[in-house]
Amino acid sequence: MLSEAGRPLFPKELFDKAQVLLPSLGIATVFRTLKKMVEEGSAKVVNLPGDSPRYERSDLAHHHHFKCFECESVFEINGSPGPLEKLLPEGFQLTDHEITLFGRCADCSAKRS
Amino acid sequence: MLSEAGRPLFPKELFDKAQVLLPSLGIATVFRTLKKMVEEGSAKVVNLPGDSPRYERSDLAHHHHFKCFECESVFEINGSPGPLEKLLPEGFQLTDHEITLFGRCADCSAKRS
DNA sequence: ATCTTAATGATAGTGGATTATCAATAAGTG
DNA sequence: CACTTATTGATAATCCACTATCATTAAGAT
């Protein structure tokens, strides 16, 4: 149940993938396992705006996500824009940030022209 | 029902605020009105990671949001980090982005020291 | 004012994700 | 192996945001 793709997955996606290998698997076990993995630190919750939580392994380098609004696919984006601290008002402390890019992925862009 | 605060609001928040002025108001009307306003373009949906949709007036300049993980308050953040296009892989087209900063707001930072 | 049509409020219903329950199965242990 | 304990699968139950329904009320029109 541990392996993952190059993008964060929904519990249901994980369930479908895992069920191919372990047909008796139940969805409850997926949720239980994910919860445990997050507590233990081996998995991370990925909340993209407007969607229910996805999950990814936690040993990935800091990255963000791109969501194609046409095929709904999510991609990992490496690299970061400039420093974000300078955007904060006086007295605010920054501890985390989430950047989601939206647009058309390479495939959907190609199919369009 | 139209006026709003300096931050995006949940339908329920809007409902509570409006009910003070118009005690007979029902929650259905809030949802209906918001839907209409979004269609007409006078309001905008704000999806912050992990939360249900908030709403804000659409005549605001481009901005992002900061969410205090202590008091849960959301603040508008003006300004933008560097260009985001350069983060994209070949062939990807960027049409929108969402940046959410997390941390401790000025009030919660102060109360802490 | 009378008739017609649109907007509203109360609330039941829906949809989707997640959790609880509990009997069945699998793991450990000695 | 016999027994104790933990894990699992199936599914009912829960939670929440949102929508549908429909009788009532308010607006408009003449």
Side-chain angles (χ1 to χ4, degrees):
Chain A
M1 255 257 352
L2 336 142
S3 68
E4 315 214 13
R7 63 195 173 82
L9 299 175
F10 289 115
K12 208 189 313 187
E13 290 181 305
L14 223 31
F15 174 60
D16 290 344
K17 291 203 176 218
Q19 217 178 24
V20 175
L21 305 173
L22 183 56
S24 75
L25 183 67
I27 186 75
T29 301
V30 174
F31 278 101
R32 277 189 288 241
T33 306
L34 284 173
K35 192 176 179 180
K36 209 172 294 180
M37 290 175 76
V38 170
E39 284 166 357
E40 293 171 359
S42 62
K44 235 180 112 179
V45 181
V46 177
N47 276 309
L48 299 191
D51 295 350
S52 62
R54 292 172 172 85
Y55 295 82
E56 67 184 12
R57 15 191 327 194
S58 58
D59 58 0
L60 302 171
H62 177 70
H63 63 278
H64 297 294
H65 298 94
F66 176 98
K67 182 174 178 185
C68 176
F69 59 72
E70 210 150 277
C71 67
E72 303 269 295
S73 296
V74 170
F75 302 82
E76 290 177 5
I77 298 293
N78 289 301
S80 276
L84 300 168
E85 285 80 5
K86 56 173 58 166
L87 302 176
L88 294 176
E90 261 309 297
F92 281 59
Q93 297 178 325
L94 185 66
T95 61
D96 199 7
H97 64 276
E98 177 75 54
I99 298 180
T100 311
L101 307 181
F102 295 94
R104 201 173 281 124
C105 72
D107 279 4
C108 288
S109 292
K111 280 175 191 158
R112 203 144 229 273
S113 51
Chain B
M1 255 255 352
L2 337 141
S3 68
E4 314 214 14
R7 63 193 174 84
L9 300 175
F10 289 116
K12 207 189 315 188
E13 289 180 306
L14 222 31
F15 173 61
D16 291 343
K17 290 201 176 220
Q19 217 178 25
V20 176
L21 305 174
L22 184 56
S24 75
L25 182 68
I27 186 74
T29 301
V30 174
F31 279 103
R32 277 189 288 241
T33 306
L34 284 172
K35 192 176 181 182
K36 207 172 296 179
M37 289 175 76
V38 170
E39 285 166 356
E40 293 171 357
S42 62
K44 236 180 112 178
V45 180
V46 177
N47 276 308
L48 299 190
D51 294 350
S52 61
R54 292 173 172 85
Y55 295 82
E56 67 184 12
R57 15 191 325 196
S58 57
D59 58 0
L60 302 171
H62 177 71
H63 64 278
H64 297 295
H65 298 94
F66 175 98
K67 183 175 176 184
C68 176
F69 59 71
E70 211 150 277
C71 68
E72 304 269 295
S73 295
V74 170
F75 302 83
E76 291 177 5
I77 298 293
N78 290 300
S80 276
L84 301 168
E85 285 79 5
K86 54 173 58 165
L87 303 175
L88 293 177
E90 261 308 299
F92 281 59
Q93 296 178 327
L94 184 66
T95 61
D96 199 6
H97 64 276
E98 177 76 53
I99 298 180
T100 311
L101 307 181
F102 295 94
R104 202 172 282 125
C105 72
D107 278 4
C108 288
S109 292
K111 280 174 190 157
R112 205 144 226 274
S113 51

